[in-house]
């Protein structure tokens, strides 16, 4: 069974990101959400585009996998809320 990080790598490479650049996009996403606030996938994509990653580089599942990896595998605490 694949780990969340392996699934994330597969999803991002399917979206055109080289496996060597995956840690960089996770790092940039972390820097975007690190100070807290309300974040949507669209908002994070907007900031990532500003940083040169391209348009809509993350889908909702990839963004949630990044949050999961940050929390479970890298020990960061990310507060998140469901907005209905």
């Amino acid at each position: 069974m694949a780990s969340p990080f392996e699934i994330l790598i597969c999803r991002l490479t399917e979206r055109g990101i080289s496996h060597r650049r995956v840690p960089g996009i996770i790092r940039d996403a972390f820097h975007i959400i690190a100070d807290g606030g309300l974040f949507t996938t669209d908002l994070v994509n907007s900031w990532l585009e500003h940083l040169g990653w391209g348009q809509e580089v993350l889908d909702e599942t990839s963004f949630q996998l990044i949050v999961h990896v940050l929390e479970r595998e890298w020990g960061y605490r990310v507060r998140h809320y469901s907005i209905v």
Side-chain angles (χ1 to χ4, degrees):
M1 186 163 142
S3 73
F5 188 65
E6 291 169 327
I7 295 168
L8 176 61
I9 291 170
C10 289
R11 291 189 71 87
L12 292 175
T13 55
E14 287 172 358
R15 296 181 74 83
I17 296 174
S18 163
H19 69 279
R20 290 185 302 261
R21 295 188 70 204
V22 169
I25 196 166
I26 295 172
R27 181 186 58 246
D28 284 349
F30 171 71
H31 287 299
I32 292 166
I33 65 175
D35 291 331
L38 298 175
F39 296 97
T40 64
T41 304
D42 290 338
L43 180 62
V44 173
N45 273 329
S46 177
W47 277 99
L48 289 171
E49 183 179 359
H50 177 73
L51 294 173
W53 285 101
Q55 292 183 326
E56 298 182 23
V57 69
L58 297 179
D59 61 358
E60 181 65 29
T61 302
S62 297
F63 179 56
Q64 293 302 322
L65 283 167
I66 287 174
V67 170
H68 178 83
V69 167
L70 289 171
E71 288 184 326
R72 305 278 190 227
E73 297 185 25
W74 293 2
Y76 292 101
R77 180 69 182 128
V78 179
R79 283 191 281 165
H80 44 90
Y81 308 93
S82 295
I83 299 175
V84 183

